[in-house]
Amino acid sequence: MTRIRARAATAVAGCAAVVAAGALLGVPGTARAASTAPVPQSTPSAVHALPLAGAVPSSRQLSLQVWLKPDLAKAAAFADAVSAPGSGEFHHYLSPDAYTARFGPSAARARAVAAWLSTQGLTGVRVGPGRDYVSATGPVSKVQSAFRVRINRYRTEDANGRPTEIQSNDRDVSVPSSLAPDVLAVTGLSGARPAVTRTASAPEPGRSPAAVKAPTCSRYWAEHTQAFHPAYQGLTKASLPVCGYSAGQIRAAYGATWTDTGKGQTVALTEDETPTAMFQTLQDYAKNNHLPAPKPAQFREIRTGSTCGTTPHGAAQSPAVNDEAEMDSEALYAMAPGADQLMVIGGGCDEDQALLDAALAVLTGDGKHPSASIESNSWQIPLGDVPEPTVHAIDVRAAAEGVGVYFASGDTPGLTVTDSDPYAVAVGGTSLGIGAANDRVFETGWSDDYGSLDHGKWSDLGISGGGGGTSLVYGQPAYQKGVVPASMSHVRIGKRTAIDRAVPDIAADGDPDTGLLTGYTESESSGKPGPYRTVVNAGTSLACPLIAGLVADAQQGQKSAFGFINPLLYRLAGTRALHDVLPVGPRTPQQDRAAYLPADGSQDSTGVDVFDSQERAYTEQVTAKGYDTMTGVGTPNGAAFLTGLRHAAH
């Protein structure tokens, strides 16, 4: 759980590892003209401010992708038409091959880019299945020569303020002027960032240290409360965090039914690491949570992209558990136990590129059909790490093919390149209190101010929470007009005021203090699957598959997939279909305004997380009545949400 304070939410952390070549996309459907000379584009100034750690060895192999420019203006217009109720083309989606033929770059232009890469001494040159990119492999020396850059390592800090190093080109890539009009972006020059693993944010039930007599967590919200002195932000009492909600509790809170379980729907989960014995893990999760046992045909796992034969520079072996894929699968299963799951593992040494490849692989499918109609992406790419046009091209293709693309809004305040695109459904996080009767006691925006008590004195260590805010790149999409207030859609860009895209669109539980109890299968030293272990998991990585599962439930039995649902979703704003997430106020009981975190060996001292801490000067976000930049239009309201989506789609 990352704490952030006194830092602009939209600032780029570190520097851009890759930059666009060719035109830079602005508002969807418009672009600045590409130069007829080799095409350098503006590298974020952050790269020049970072201390140089040294050059990347010239012999190191890189796997890169030159992304080709589709006819984005016409593709976006088509995506708008097939997503808009009342349009003559509503839900008349294209197949992957038809999209490529209608909007993709020509085969001749793709071959021209491939031929140039080969002349530069790169190997394994291949045009992607939908002509979205041309991939190639080669040593750093040849890549630098081809794109007229130097690839270095720079010293910076990770999201938790720890020293680390990143790999980046030192200037904008260049391509021959004859190819510049066809090139959208280049990825793969950054290599991998140091590995970051997920850890439990609360102890497992029954696993409290023997030396601690008092409970350290609750089975339901406010089962255990704790008084404390001195007061922190006016509070003298708080509830202990939950020990991890069960599937039954989270299903009840959001009103999932046993009539609509997602049967007949396929949901794709994109990942960057292969879980251990995922189907066995899913069986154990279902058994522990009294859910129907999954059928073997309900789960399939595939890999895409290249392999990475060496350990990334800077990556460290960690004893912490990386259980992202398991959480995604189990959260989805909790909400849609009847849906089929397709887990797509992206491969390669560049984590960002691997994840983008996984997302795209779902869309290209077998050419005739995409592999799923719903794609849950529980990951984020920070602003500046990949060019916006690359993500935008993927999202527009998805909308045109009838695939709903859901992106986690991120686990730090502010925007990401993946959640801010207007054709992505950005899923934010909430703090959710589920009571003894499985009722929703409270729900507010996930933005916790953490106070640490040491020797009788409180220290404010900053904010943790989900992402959101207002884009500086994309204009306000039509579906947000009249719903997003001016205070959240108007931004200053230079001397003018722009009306831009606001994030997120919808939300679900994401606070680690109110997380879900998930599980993973340990891998034995022999390589064989070991025992099933449980751990509390959360973040917008949890919220994203929860929402995807509920949409699968709503899609069950419908004649066509909902596809890109934002035009439908914003029609439901202010109706019974959505629970309006409201700010915490002075009349809210103290036990529903904060979580008490006792010192239990995993923390140095006692702490308190104060919910919905709106420090807009730091986070640029707010929780408010109606739409807000913490939770979007709100959270799903059970059967009314399912029915509302279906009615909006007719």
Side-chain angles (χ1 to χ4, degrees):
M1 182 166 59
T2 302
R3 311 286 175 185
I4 181 169
R5 191 169 185 83
R7 180 166 51 184
T10 54
V12 176
C15 65
V18 291
V19 294
L24 287 178
L25 194 72
V27 177
T30 65
R32 302 185 183 93
S35 171
T36 56
V39 192
Q41 296 293 348
S42 56
T43 303
S45 58
V47 69
H48 304 297
L50 295 176
L52 182 67
V56 174
S58 61
S59 60
R60 176 170 295 163
Q61 294 288 309
L62 296 178
S63 294
L64 58 90
Q65 289 173 182
V66 177
W67 293 79
L68 304 179
K69 190 181 300 178
D71 190 339
L72 274 173
K74 291 182 179 178
F78 178 82
D80 290 341
V82 297
S83 304
S87 164
E89 294 179 293
F90 184 52
H91 285 183
H92 292 173
Y93 306 122
L94 294 177
S95 69
D97 285 348
Y99 179 88
T100 301
R102 186 166 173 178
F103 301 117
S106 69
R109 302 312 300 164
R111 286 196 299 269
V113 172
W116 172 70
L117 290 171
S118 294
T119 64
Q120 300 303 303
L122 301 178
T123 59
V125 178
R126 182 180 68 89
V127 177
R131 295 203 293 272
D132 297 277
Y133 60 79
V134 180
S135 59
T137 301
V140 165
S141 59
K142 292 189 180 296
V143 173
Q144 291 179 146
S145 175
F147 293 102
R148 300 182 183 181
V149 296
R150 298 292 297 175
I151 301 175
N152 299 316
R153 297 203 66 80
Y154 297 89
R155 297 188 182 92
T156 185
E157 292 181 349
D158 64 16
N160 294 309
R162 294 185 295 257
T164 188
E165 292 182 7
I166 60 171
Q167 178 176 308
S168 173
N169 42 298
D170 67 340
R171 69 197 71 183
D172 310 319
V173 298
S174 296
V175 298
S177 57
S178 61
L179 300 179
D182 303 309
V183 175
L184 187 69
V186 180
T187 60
L189 308 188
S190 63
R193 295 190 300 274
V196 178
T197 52
R198 300 172 57 84
T199 57
S201 57
E204 299 177 39
R207 292 286 298 276
S208 300
V212 180
K213 302 288 186 181
T216 58
C217 60
S218 299
R219 294 171 299 170
Y220 54 85
W221 189 255
E223 178 190 22
H224 302 295
T225 61
Q226 178 68 48
F228 52 85
H229 295 283
Y232 182 65
Q233 296 195 11
L235 300 177
T236 57
K237 184 173 73 171
S239 296
L240 269 62
V242 296
C243 308
Y245 290 132
S246 68
Q249 288 173 301
I250 202 75
R251 284 176 56 81
Y254 290 121
T257 73
W258 288 110
T259 302
D260 302 305
T261 62
K263 185 177 181 181
Q265 309 304 306
T266 300
V267 181
L269 303 166
T270 57
E271 312 292 344
D272 64 350
E273 290 194 15
T274 304
T276 300
M278 187 63 243
F279 183 67
Q280 177 184 317
T281 300
L282 196 57
Q283 287 177 307
D284 289 335
Y285 178 78
K287 182 178 180 180
N288 282 10
N289 284 272
H290 310 291
L291 295 172
K295 300 178 178 63
Q298 281 184 263
F299 182 83
R300 187 161 64 97
E301 188 178 295
I302 62 173
R303 291 191 62 85
T304 187
S306 59
T307 58
C308 184
T310 59
T311 301
H313 178 80
Q317 298 300 316
S318 171
V321 176
N322 188 337
D323 53 354
E324 175 73 42
E326 291 89 338
M327 177 186 67
D328 293 346
S329 177
E330 292 165 5
L332 173 62
Y333 196 77
M335 287 303 185
D340 293 342
Q341 296 188 12
L342 173 67
M343 185 169 285
V344 185
I345 315 294
C349 291
D350 186 304
E351 181 186 16
D352 293 340
Q353 184 172 274
L355 289 166
L356 292 174
D357 285 351
L360 183 60
V362 177
L363 308 181
T364 54
D366 62 3
K368 296 180 180 179
H369 304 282
S371 301
S373 62
I374 298 169
E375 179 181 291
S376 177
N377 304 292
S378 284
W379 40 273
Q380 66 187 76
I381 297 179
L383 290 172
D385 272 20
V386 299
E388 284 91 350
T390 306
V391 176
H392 184 65
I394 292 173
D395 292 346
V396 169
R397 176 187 269 272
E401 294 180 11
V403 179
V405 173
Y406 298 77
F407 273 105
S409 72
D411 292 353
T412 54
L415 293 176
T416 69
V417 69
T418 39
D419 70 3
S420 55
D421 190 88
Y423 292 93
V425 182
V427 182
T430 67
S431 301
L432 172 66
I434 303 176
N438 286 352
D439 53 322
R440 181 160 31 191
V441 176
F442 74 91
E443 190 166 27
T444 191
W446 172 33
S447 184
D448 299 347
D449 192 329
Y450 178 66
S452 176
L453 182 63
D454 191 20
H455 296 96
K457 184 179 179 180
W458 289 103
S459 297
D460 188 340
L461 299 186
I463 300 289
S464 65
T470 309
S471 172
L472 300 179
V473 175
Y474 295 107
Q476 184 181 66
Y479 56 77
Q480 288 195 326
K481 292 179 180 178
V483 178
V484 178
S487 61
M488 300 179 203
S489 62
H490 291 207
V491 292
R492 292 288 295 177
I493 301 178
K495 295 182 179 180
R496 69 184 180 90
T497 298
I499 305 174
D500 282 357
R501 154 79 160 146
V503 173
D505 299 303
I506 193 170
D509 187 21
D511 191 333
D513 295 325
T514 65
L516 188 71
L517 188 68
T518 64
Y520 61 94
T521 299
E522 283 191 344
S523 181
E524 302 283 14
S525 57
S526 63
K528 295 181 179 180
Y532 177 80
R533 304 291 190 190
T534 56
V535 66
V536 184
N537 251 318
T540 56
S541 297
L542 168 63
C544 195
L546 291 176
I547 293 294
L550 285 167
V551 173
D553 295 344
Q555 224 172 249
Q556 179 180 320
Q558 303 305 292
K559 291 182 179 179
S560 63
F562 294 151
F564 175 53
I565 70 163
N566 277 2
L568 309 179
L569 195 59
Y570 280 81
R571 287 189 168 201
L572 300 178
T575 71
R576 290 185 59 253
L578 295 162
H579 173 75
D580 189 8
V581 179
L582 300 175
V584 168
R587 295 184 179 180
T588 305
Q590 287 201 30
Q591 67 265 23
D592 299 338
R593 293 170 59 185
Y596 178 85
L597 310 174
D600 63 358
S602 64
Q603 299 177 126
D604 294 332
S605 59
T606 296
V608 169
D609 269 336
V610 179
F611 297 149
D612 191 40
S613 296
Q614 301 189 34
E615 299 190 38
R616 197 169 182 178
Y618 300 138
T619 70
E620 300 184 5
Q621 294 171 251
V622 64
T623 306
K625 183 176 176 59
Y627 179 90
D628 62 62
T629 48
M630 290 283 192
T631 65
V633 293
T635 59
N637 190 27
F641 176 75
L642 308 185
T643 303
L645 269 184
R646 290 168 178 167
H647 286 172
H650 290 149

